[in-house]
């Protein structure tokens, strides 16, 4: 990882793909990822880890399936939310959003249990951030 400060807005400006997270840095065995979101992701769950969301810009809704029902948590800019491990969830950003995610390195963006992955969603463990001196692995 790079020992320089990272400007998140510059990092976000370095790519255009939606639902395709970039690894900004690592903290111990966790990735700090950023992503652009627009439209709907897909229903999925991470069986062994929680998933942390911070909305950097725009608004993100996260539908959750829990206790036999569904609910939606809406996150405006600056809001955080943690999806508990094993909880099926479906992020969406109809108007577009920029988000920061915090999860164990190697966590697949579509979870361990998911529906068919639509073409606009990147099934990845994160991509290296395209900047001088950056390395995701």
């Amino acid at each position: 990882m790079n020992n320089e400060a990272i400007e998140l807005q510059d990092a976000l400006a370095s790519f255009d793909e939606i639902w395709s997270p970039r690894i900004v840095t690592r903290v111990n065995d966790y990735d700090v990822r950023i992503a652009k979101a627009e439209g709907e992701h897909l229903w999925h769950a991470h069986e062994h880890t929680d998933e942390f969301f911070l909305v950097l810009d725009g608004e993100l809704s996260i539908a959750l399936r829990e206790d036999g029902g569904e609910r939606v948590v809406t996150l405006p800019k600056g809001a955080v939310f943690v999806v508990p491990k094993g909880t099926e969830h479906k992020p969406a950003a109809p108007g577009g959003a920029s988000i920061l995610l915090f999860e164990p390195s190697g966590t697949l963006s579509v979870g361990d249990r998911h529906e068919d992955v639509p073409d606009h969603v990147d099934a990845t463990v994160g991509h290296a951030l395209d900047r001088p001196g950056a390395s995701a692995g």
Side-chain angles (χ1 to χ4, degrees), residues 77-122:
K77 179 179 178 178
V80 301
F81 184 75
V82 175
V83 175
K85 67 181 173 182
T87 301
E88 283 189 290
H89 59 288
K90 180 180 184 179
S98 297
I99 58 177
L100 183 140
L101 304 150
F102 189 73
E103 53 197 352
S105 298
T107 300
L108 189 60
S109 62
V110 295
D112 310 309
R113 184 170 30 110
H114 55 76
E115 299 176 350
D116 292 331
V117 179
D119 290 341
H120 70 279
V121 174
D122 186 8

Side-chain angles (χ1 to χ4, degrees), residues 2-135:
N2 190 320
N3 289 343
E4 301 297 320
I6 300 163
E7 293 288 339
L8 291 179
Q9 292 307 318
D10 291 344
L12 284 160
S14 73
F15 65 97
D16 293 321
E17 297 82 9
I18 62 166
W19 303 117
S20 183
R22 300 303 193 264
I23 300 170
V24 177
T25 192
R26 290 208 170 99
V27 178
N28 298 317
D29 296 332
Y30 281 75
D31 289 343
V32 178
R33 303 176 184 179
I34 55 172
K36 293 180 179 180
E38 188 172 346
E40 295 185 341
H41 196 267
L42 73 149
W43 283 105
H44 67 285
H46 302 279
E47 294 300 332
H48 304 289
T49 185
D50 298 337
E51 187 172 17
F52 172 91
F53 291 85
L54 164 63
V55 177
L56 301 170
D57 195 29
E59 184 176 272
L60 183 74
S61 296
I62 303 174
L64 304 159
R65 289 179 177 158
E66 54 191 3
D67 301 323
E70 289 184 17
R71 71 180 176 116
V72 176
V73 176
T74 301
L75 307 172
K77 179 179 178 178
V80 301
F81 184 75
V82 175
V83 175
K85 67 181 173 182
T87 301
E88 283 189 290
H89 59 288
K90 180 180 184 179
S98 297
I99 58 177
L100 183 140
L101 304 150
F102 189 73
E103 53 197 352
S105 298
T107 300
L108 189 60
S109 62
V110 295
D112 310 309
R113 184 170 30 110
H114 55 76
E115 299 176 350
D116 292 331
V117 179
D119 290 341
H120 70 279
V121 174
D122 186 8
T124 180
V125 294
H127 299 283
L129 186 61
D130 187 19
R131 59 183 173 78
S135 171

